[in-house]
Amino acid sequence: MQEARRALGQRLRELRIEAGLTGQQLAELLSWPPSKVSKLENARQTPTENDLRAWTRATGREDLAEALLVSLRTLELQYTEWQRVLKSGLRHHQTRLSTQDHQTHFYRVFENTVVPGLLQTPAYARARFEQARRLYQTVTDVDEAVQSRLQRQGVLYRPDRRFHFVLTEAVLRYRLGSPATMLGQLDRLTSLSALPNVKLGIIGFDALYGIDPRHGFWLLDDDVVQVETYSAELNLRQPQEIQLYSQIFAQLAAPTVASYGRGARTLIMRAIDDLAPDPARDGS
């Protein structure tokens, strides 16, 4: 986001300099405070569409207005704040993702903390949505959001879709729900790993990483990389970004790093055994 904003600011500075204008002179032409010109050029403020039209008009380069507006819209699509996305409720976002699912044929997903939404049980999904509701103070539509997420999971059973999920062992063990919720979720992972179009890899704690598991991400076909932070969803669409994340996924998903098939199920069953109550130990 910031890198794209800097590039746009640099382009605006170039237009001003080519027009032979100082920052002060441009600000006077536009009836702006001089600080606004500086903020836009140094990426401390994102321009509006009206700002870009006024800038190109004042610098005599109205022919570049549309190209700059495209850059701005790409910038806005790249960075979506959760507070804005979720203000109309959690279900609305799930509906948007359903549209995305209709367009995506190959999913490559790496997660280091949470079970991906397409693999979640109703109880696990509810726990995740309840956390989001509290954090972002959204409207109370958790039930509807859970139902929408479950409907989305129908895409897993479409033969024209392929899925490659790679999870760290930490995902299996983080207590993001009650023990019963986690046990149900782990069992669900085991069953879903048997689907013919689903490939599930688990990176055990003892695996030797070729690259650090810095954050989760979703690669949707070769079109976009989605990264979720606490504050926003990033949608990265530059070819070099997609290529980089494709290379990172290939390293994390390598059979020398992630376990598949029986090896993955062994890691899941180990997590289940460590979480499930031991009747012998409990004396029952």
Side-chain angles (χ1 to χ4, degrees):
M1 171 70 169
Q2 187 61 22
E3 184 176 330
R5 189 187 285 121
R6 278 196 295 267
L8 182 55
Q10 177 62 34
R11 186 66 180 120
L12 294 177
R13 179 185 292 110
E14 290 170 357
L15 295 183
R16 175 180 60 76
I17 293 173
E18 289 170 5
L21 296 171
T22 65
Q24 179 73 35
Q25 289 170 332
L26 179 60
E28 290 175 356
L29 283 173
L30 298 174
S31 299
W32 289 353
S35 61
K36 180 172 180 176
V37 172
S38 176
K39 287 178 180 178
L40 293 178
E41 291 187 349
N42 292 286
R44 294 196 302 273
Q45 180 178 331
T46 301
T48 65
E49 292 192 4
N50 286 337
D51 289 340
L52 293 181
R53 290 191 177 95
W55 194 292
T56 55
R57 187 165 55 249
T59 56
R61 294 306 307 268
E62 289 182 270
D63 58 309
L64 296 178
E66 275 307 313
L68 291 174
L69 288 172
V70 169
S71 297
L72 176 63
R73 289 163 190 153
T74 299
L75 181 63
E76 292 171 339
L77 285 172
Q78 185 178 26
Y79 185 90
T80 309
E81 292 183 352
W82 289 123
Q83 291 285 5
R84 180 160 57 88
V85 172
L86 302 179
K87 66 180 179 182
S88 57
L90 296 160
R91 182 183 183 180
H92 177 75
H93 181 56
Q94 293 302 304
T95 301
R96 184 181 71 82
L97 292 177
S98 294
T99 301
Q100 177 178 276
D101 291 334
H102 286 300
Q103 301 169 343
T104 304
H105 288 78
F106 183 32
Y107 298 72
R108 286 168 289 172
V109 180
F110 172 72
E111 288 290 0
N112 59 349
T113 56
V114 300
V115 175
L118 289 178
L119 304 181
Q120 292 176 6
T121 63
Y124 190 96
R126 179 175 298 280
R128 304 299 304 130
F129 285 132
E130 285 287 0
Q131 179 188 347
R133 183 186 63 79
R134 293 191 300 269
L135 180 62
Y136 303 110
Q137 298 294 298
T138 68
V139 299
T140 305
D141 64 344
V142 171
D143 290 342
E144 293 83 354
V146 170
Q147 185 60 35
S148 183
R149 175 160 287 179
L150 296 182
Q151 291 174 348
R152 283 184 55 218
Q153 292 177 359
V155 74
L156 291 169
Y157 303 94
R158 293 188 54 170
D160 61 334
R161 300 294 196 268
R162 291 188 298 135
F163 304 85
H164 189 169
F165 297 97
V166 177
L167 315 179
T168 66
E169 187 175 350
V171 172
L172 312 180
R173 296 178 176 273
Y174 281 143
R175 302 291 182 88
L176 300 184
S178 68
T181 294
M182 295 305 302
L183 286 170
Q185 181 61 71
L186 294 174
D187 182 68
R188 170 78 167 155
L189 289 178
T190 302
S191 61
L192 288 176
S193 67
L195 291 177
N197 59 333
V198 173
K199 187 174 183 180
L200 177 62
I202 306 292
I203 304 177
F205 284 136
D206 59 351
L208 177 62
Y209 283 89
I211 189 168
D212 63 281
R214 192 167 305 175
H215 58 75
F217 59 88
W218 290 54
L219 269 160
L220 306 180
D221 293 324
D222 288 318
D223 299 327
V224 62
V225 181
Q226 290 185 336
V227 179
E228 293 187 359
T229 72
Y230 281 115
S231 61
E233 175 186 85
L234 308 181
N235 290 275
L236 310 179
R237 300 176 185 275
Q238 296 295 331
Q240 64 269 24
E241 293 173 320
I242 294 172
Q243 181 180 11
L244 174 63
Y245 275 90
S246 295
Q247 293 171 350
I248 291 170
F249 185 84
Q251 292 188 50
L252 292 168
T256 54
V257 179
S259 297
Y260 295 90
R262 183 178 299 174
R265 288 190 291 274
T266 296
L267 289 170
I268 296 172
M269 290 308 301
R270 189 184 302 163
I272 290 175
D273 289 343
D274 289 345
L275 184 60
D278 186 343
R281 185 175 59 207
D282 294 343
S284 55

